[in-house]
Amino acid sequence: MRNALYCCDNPIDGATNMSLLDIFLDKVTEADLNNLISTCVPESPTIDYKRDTYGNSEGDKREFLADVSSFANTIGGDIVIGIDEAGGLPTAVKPLTGDIDAEVRRLESIALSGIEPRLTNLRIRSVPVAGGHAIIVRVPRSFVPPHRVIAQNSNRFYARAGTKKYEPNVEQLRHLFTDAPHVLERIRSFQADRLVKITVGETPTPLGPLGKVVLHVIPLPSFADGRMADIVSQLAKGGHVPCPLDEVGFSSNYAVNLDGYLSYSVGPPGARLAYAQFFRNGAIEGVGELRSDDNVNSCFITRDLTNLIMSRVRLYLDVLRAYDLGLPVYIFLSLCNATRVVYRYADASGVGCHDSRPLSREIVSVPEIYIDDFNVDVIDVMRPAFTTLWNAVGFLSCNRYDDLARWKSSNPYALTW
């Protein structure tokens, strides 16, 4: 049997479809790199091998930026630095030595300053191998293309076809500029369809007919390339689980269904119910029943609603990151069965309370929130959604923010304060 450090004479069947992209970047090991060699995985639109790291001359930097932007402008991929190749086939691991952390930071700095618009989800990681390290530059497909190389005033665009990068012509650039909005429309269509189904009672677990709050957290990459996340098997291994949109805090049950994985609250008879559906396409849908005093009208209260939404947005983003489902992510806040939903607020004395006018429409959906970093300040990014919802009931802004748009609670993700 051939040594793993030497490539076989011909790629095995299916090798051209293999890559590192199916492995979470933080989980890639030396064994995975050797597997590329032993199974003769050739260079392709999603993988490129480099024996040596990029130099520090201006030409070397431009070459690195061209490689990175070509992946971002096409379908994404990995640049594996520290693997020798011959004719596009990997032949041996050639470990990099020296200060590997400094080299990772150098490459990150070059990419940060040399590509426009900036690639916010580019990741570069070193992998320990015998004798040193390899470096993987993971370039996700961009959904705000095209990106251009601006180092040394080059102002050039690149894309990738097969194993080579090229400069797209005018027609190809036009396609790059117009493709991303089509993906967003698919996401909006999915979310709108889900709101209709929730409103008419087509939910994965039965809910009542009164008002409901709905939160969708949707990764754009899965809607662009049609990927289906293997969430069921991953959850079976003890992975992250999106909790129901339940402000009461009941215990939860879990189930597998046609759409993916479901968690739903279990409370006493008559209690408000909630669920979280983790779809196979990576979208997370959280739904919870609003409070009702008479089983006819529903209401929401500032503290309860905002604390619940903040905590679940943070949780759902962490779930998407754990499954490496990619960026950007769109967040949608909505109300269903909202015709008789009101906002309940305290009067000036702080003793009594008042109800706003009813929303008077079955579905209320505020404009989506765009997220391009899993470490965002959720308080800040969700403020426009809360402002719009409060506008809908006749208020200028959500009263959890002060006049300087600062959050009024020291613990925004807690369910109580």
Side-chain angles (χ1 to χ4, degrees):
M1 185 168 67
R2 282 272 177 107
N3 187 297
L5 296 184
Y6 296 93
C7 188
C8 52
D9 296 325
N10 295 293
I12 64 173
D13 291 342
T16 55
N17 296 322
M18 299 170 60
S19 73
L20 296 176
L21 290 177
D22 294 328
I23 306 172
F24 294 168
L25 183 59
D26 293 338
K27 302 292 186 181
V28 176
T29 66
E30 181 179 10
D32 297 314
L33 301 182
N34 283 329
N35 188 54
L36 296 174
I37 299 167
S38 62
T39 56
C40 298
V41 178
E43 291 184 321
S44 71
T46 60
I47 193 166
D48 191 14
Y49 301 117
K50 303 288 183 183
R51 172 181 171 139
D52 303 308
T53 191
Y54 295 85
N56 212 28
S57 70
E58 294 304 326
D60 291 332
K61 292 178 181 178
R62 283 195 298 271
E63 180 70 12
F64 172 62
L65 295 171
D67 287 341
V68 169
S69 63
S70 70
F71 277 112
N73 286 333
T74 314
I75 60 173
D78 288 328
I79 302 171
V80 186
I81 305 172
I83 289 187
D84 203 0
E85 57 85 21
L89 296 175
T91 57
V93 173
K94 296 294 184 180
L96 306 175
T97 58
D99 190 339
I100 198 68
D101 291 334
E103 179 60 15
V104 168
R105 291 193 297 270
R106 184 183 76 92
L107 294 176
E108 289 174 339
S109 177
I110 294 170
L112 183 66
S113 60
I115 296 177
E116 186 182 72
R118 184 166 61 94
L119 293 172
T120 58
N121 53 349
L122 176 73
R123 297 186 63 197
I124 305 177
R125 175 179 175 257
S126 62
V127 178
V129 298
H133 290 80
I135 291 177
I136 300 175
V137 182
R138 177 153 291 179
V139 190
R141 175 183 176 179
S142 174
F143 299 101
V144 287
H147 298 265
R148 62 177 178 172
V149 175
I150 59 174
Q152 297 296 304
N153 299 316
S154 60
N155 194 31
R156 300 171 78 171
F157 295 91
Y158 295 91
R160 192 169 175 85
T163 63
K164 304 296 183 182
K165 59 181 175 290
Y166 68 95
E167 294 189 57
N169 59 33
V170 172
E171 184 60 31
Q172 291 165 330
L173 279 174
R174 184 179 294 114
H175 175 75
L176 289 173
F177 274 108
T178 59
D179 186 52
H182 295 160
V183 180
L184 178 54
E185 286 307 312
R186 289 198 289 273
I187 290 177
R188 287 172 174 160
S189 177
F190 170 83
Q191 187 253 356
D193 178 68
R194 291 302 308 158
L195 292 181
V196 171
K197 285 182 168 61
I198 294 166
T199 300
V200 300
E202 295 182 19
T203 52
T205 188
L207 300 179
L210 301 181
K212 303 169 186 66
V213 58
V214 181
L215 179 66
H216 285 104
V217 180
I218 303 176
L220 186 147
S222 58
F223 280 77
D225 54 24
R227 73 178 70 174
M228 300 294 281
D230 188 13
I231 57 174
V232 174
S233 63
Q234 291 298 322
L235 285 165
K237 299 175 184 177
H240 289 61
V241 177
C243 296
L245 201 65
D246 173 20
E247 67 184 48
V248 180
F250 292 126
S251 60
S252 298
N253 279 353
Y254 306 95
V256 176
N257 58 20
L258 179 63
D259 290 320
Y261 196 85
L262 173 70
S263 61
Y264 58 98
S265 61
V266 181
R272 285 182 282 150
L273 302 178
Y275 72 81
Q277 175 72 55
F278 196 176
F279 289 90
R280 297 180 193 275
N281 61 17
I284 299 176
E285 173 182 283
V287 180
E289 295 178 335
L290 294 173
R291 65 178 63 207
S292 175
D293 299 329
D294 55 10
N295 290 322
V296 176
N297 302 292
S298 302
C299 71
F300 63 91
I301 297 172
T302 298
R303 182 195 62 185
D304 295 344
L305 182 71
T306 56
N307 281 356
L308 176 65
I309 295 302
M310 290 294 189
S311 67
R312 292 303 185 263
V313 167
R314 182 71 274 159
L315 171 65
Y316 294 172
L317 288 175
D318 288 343
V319 169
L320 295 184
R321 172 162 51 186
Y323 288 93
D324 205 16
L325 289 171
L327 292 165
V329 171
Y330 285 92
I331 300 173
F332 299 82
L333 177 62
S334 313
L335 299 179
C336 290
N337 305 111
T339 300
R340 300 181 69 87
V341 169
V342 299
Y343 164 51
R344 182 162 295 168
Y345 59 98
D347 62 20
S349 67
V351 178
C353 62
H354 302 284
D355 289 346
S356 71
R357 63 173 183 258
L359 285 166
S360 300
R361 60 176 67 186
E362 277 294 271
I363 297 175
V364 174
S365 185
V366 305
E368 68 269 7
I369 302 296
Y370 174 87
I371 299 290
D372 63 2
D373 184 346
F374 283 120
N375 296 314
V376 294
D377 182 348
V378 174
I379 293 174
D380 182 57
V381 300
M382 289 304 296
R383 185 170 62 87
F386 288 135
T387 296
T388 304
L389 182 57
W390 261 247
N391 291 164
V393 291
F395 288 76
L396 289 176
S397 62
C398 171
N399 60 353
R400 287 303 295 277
Y401 297 87
D402 63 20
D403 292 340
L404 298 177
R406 296 175 302 197
W407 188 257
K408 291 182 180 179
S409 170
S410 60
N411 189 5
Y413 306 127
L415 292 182
T416 58
W417 49 294

